[in-house]
Amino acid sequence: MSQKISGVKGMNDLLPGEIEIWQSVEGRARDVFGRFGYGEIRTPMVEDTALFVRSVGEETDIVGKEMYTFEDKGGRSLSLRPEGTAPAARAYIEHSVNNQEPVTRWFYMGPMFRYERMKTGRYRQFYQIGAEAYGAKEAAQDVEMMDMVVQFLESLDLKDISLNLNSLGDEACRPAYHAKLVEYLKAHREELCGDCQRRMETNPLRVLDCKNEKCQAVAAAGPNVLEFLCEPCRAHFNDLQRKLTGLGIKYVVNPRMVRGLDYYTRTVFEFIAAHPALGTASTVGGGGRYDTMMKGLGGPDVPAVGFAMGLDRLVLLLKESGKKFTQAPDLFVVAVDEGSQDLALTLTSRLRREGLRVDFDTRGGSLKSQMKRADKSGAHFTLVLGEAERTSGQAKLKRMAGGEPIPVTLDDVAKALRAHRDAAPA
């Protein structure tokens, strides 16, 4: 007997019964983001490794530990994309989009890949929905993007998700904060984990992002980045908060939040869910401003802001909500004898062409067994075809929820279904 082959650990199958939730979320995203003027892009799942080293940061855990990197047959170092911002930036630069329009708004959705320790809602192939806006440096662009996320979450009827804000300053004021932070961390070196002792020398902001409890305690008592903001960065952050308040969007200022990537300047934000289904992986999405990354990748000096949300985590929350996302068939057609199979096949084909959801068991079987399948399918109506129906061209629609059968001609089944299905229970 051949050995069974299983899927790769951390890379999950999505099957009917669950995929409908994913499709619903993706559909809502396309609807809401489209209303905000964002167009969809699709980038390759494989990129030059240098793209992520230069944008995400060589000292980040993503580049240092988590990327799926390999050498292709041409000797080039390639990586499965671990996030969506850098590929979008590469596409923006490569296609000279800045010469075509002053402000560009894109969104994307698809799989990302990171080899990391798995837990609830965090997998090695995971899915993100994200957006990027290029060309506007004003706080209004940051706020518009956060408003879009809020409206998207509201469209999913997700509750208890809070917005956390911070500002990391820019190249003018961040060096002073870095120096003070390193001085503080060195005084508490022995209290830090091994990774953070290394991060302290290479990228001290990463210490603030560590999930080790002792490191978090050290970070909580450290210098506050907001106290080091220069006047332009402070004005930007104040304007951001004022505009959010004007839109009625509630938020919490969290000066310890830095996000996990190197490219952010000024605004960073996260949407955090208070739900036990996610365990400790409570951040469902986040992002920020990255005004210097485009130039650093060899592109134009264009300001940008973006975010990404974990689709896996959103689906977990929606599963917990108990909502139904599968769409039941309008009709289940039952063929009670072999002679009615061709008629059933012809009728179901015609009804499907007319836009109706119709189920039909091509194996046939007894009337009793087929009615059981109809019940299991959740179909709103059934229609039984036998010799009498073939001969007369007449049949009866039976409402599965109960009630009197509805006489129909076989030519008028679609019309009758449309007239009565809205009254059928969901």
Side-chain angles (χ1 to χ4, degrees):
M1 183 176 178
S2 299
Q3 184 178 1
K4 183 177 72 172
I5 299 175
S6 300
V8 177
K9 187 176 182 180
M11 300 184 181
N12 304 319
D13 299 311
L14 301 174
L15 306 179
E18 180 179 3
I19 195 68
E20 290 83 0
I21 308 177
W22 294 71
Q23 292 167 338
S24 177
V25 175
E26 291 166 351
R28 296 287 176 85
R30 288 189 171 95
D31 176 46
V32 174
F33 296 177
R35 283 190 256 133
F36 278 74
Y38 285 69
E40 184 173 2
I41 63 161
R42 299 187 185 186
T43 62
M45 284 187 282
V46 177
E47 296 274 2
D48 190 315
T49 300
L51 172 66
F52 302 110
V53 174
R54 289 171 60 184
S55 60
V56 175
E58 190 168 6
E59 297 299 331
T60 61
D61 286 347
I62 292 175
V63 171
K65 299 179 181 180
E66 299 170 359
M67 283 206 306
Y68 283 90
T69 298
F70 60 95
E71 190 174 282
D72 73 356
K73 293 182 179 180
R76 292 163 294 198
S77 179
L78 303 178
S79 295
L80 294 176
R81 61 187 185 194
E83 56 95 45
T85 294
R90 190 267 311 149
Y92 179 89
I93 295 167
E94 186 169 340
H95 297 283
S96 302
V97 178
N98 65 299
N99 293 329
Q100 304 167 34
E101 52 194 17
V103 176
T104 300
R105 296 179 175 92
W106 285 347
F107 77 90
Y108 59 85
M109 53 183 70
M112 311 293 165
F113 303 85
R114 296 182 195 175
Y115 189 87
E116 61 179 340
R117 185 180 302 170
M118 294 180 296
K119 57 183 178 180
T120 303
R122 178 175 288 174
Y123 309 107
R124 290 172 180 170
Q125 177 175 315
F126 58 101
Y127 294 80
Q128 287 188 341
I129 294 175
E132 317 292 337
Y134 308 99
K137 67 181 185 301
E138 291 77 13
Q141 183 58 68
D142 307 20
V143 172
E144 181 202 63
M145 183 165 281
M146 294 178 207
D147 183 29
M148 184 169 73
V149 178
V150 168
Q151 292 195 33
F152 170 55
L153 293 172
E154 288 175 349
S155 77
L156 297 173
D157 200 28
L158 290 175
K159 311 291 186 183
D160 300 322
I161 298 179
S162 62
L163 169 61
N164 278 222
L165 298 178
N166 193 20
S167 176
L168 300 180
D170 60 14
E171 64 275 6
C173 55
R174 195 184 298 180
Y177 171 66
H178 270 211
K180 193 69 174 178
L181 179 61
V182 170
E183 178 185 342
Y184 169 78
L185 293 175
K186 284 182 176 179
H188 296 270
R189 182 185 184 90
E190 298 307 315
E191 301 169 50
L192 300 175
C193 69
D195 282 342
C196 282
Q197 289 182 12
R198 174 182 55 82
R199 291 167 181 152
M200 184 177 68
E201 304 295 337
T202 58
N203 194 335
L205 279 179
R206 295 283 72 75
V207 177
L208 305 184
D209 202 40
C210 183
K211 301 303 184 283
N212 181 289
E213 289 185 5
K214 290 185 178 179
C215 297
Q216 289 180 343
V218 171
N224 185 333
V225 64
L226 297 177
E227 296 176 359
F228 291 80
L229 295 182
C230 61
E231 189 51 41
C233 286
R234 187 177 304 281
H236 184 277
F237 194 50
N238 289 341
D239 193 30
L240 171 72
Q241 296 176 74
R242 184 180 61 80
K243 285 179 165 58
L244 285 171
T245 300
L247 290 180
I249 297 175
K250 295 180 180 179
Y251 61 88
V252 175
V253 174
N254 179 0
R256 308 300 171 192
M257 182 180 63
V258 296
R259 303 286 295 152
L261 307 173
D262 280 358
Y263 48 63
Y264 289 121
T265 55
R266 292 190 174 177
T267 307
V268 288
F269 59 92
E270 288 186 350
F271 286 87
I272 300 174
H275 199 292
L278 295 181
T280 57
S282 57
T283 300
V284 296
R289 180 163 284 282
Y290 51 101
D291 290 342
T292 62
M293 189 178 86
M294 309 298 283
K295 187 176 181 181
L297 289 174
D301 189 6
V302 173
V305 60
F307 81 92
M309 307 200 79
L311 186 49
D312 306 79
R313 297 181 188 180
L314 292 176
V315 169
L316 275 175
L317 292 176
L318 289 170
K319 281 182 179 178
E320 289 293 315
S321 73
K323 290 183 179 179
K324 291 185 178 180
F325 291 86
T326 55
Q327 192 170 348
D330 296 304
L331 177 69
F332 192 103
V333 176
V334 175
V336 298
D337 53 42
E338 189 175 345
S340 300
Q341 276 244 333
D342 288 350
L343 176 59
L345 196 60
T346 301
L347 178 62
T348 55
S349 177
R350 174 163 57 84
L351 294 175
R352 288 164 179 165
R353 285 179 183 275
E354 295 188 41
L356 294 164
R357 298 177 67 90
V358 184
D359 204 350
F360 164 55
D361 194 332
T362 55
R363 299 172 302 172
S366 68
L367 175 62
K368 182 178 180 180
S369 66
Q370 290 190 68
M371 290 302 292
K372 283 185 177 179
R373 293 172 208 147
D375 187 54
K376 187 176 181 180
S377 77
H380 298 311
F381 293 88
T382 56
L383 187 141
V384 177
L385 296 178
E387 183 178 357
E389 287 76 20
R390 294 201 313 272
T391 304
S392 67
Q394 304 282 329
K396 291 182 179 179
L397 282 175
K398 178 184 177 184
R399 197 188 300 276
M400 294 298 286
E404 290 295 317
I406 304 165
V408 292
T409 65
L410 295 183
D411 290 337
D412 289 334
V413 173
K415 181 179 178 181
L417 273 174
R418 290 196 176 93
H420 292 280
R421 68 179 175 180
D422 290 341

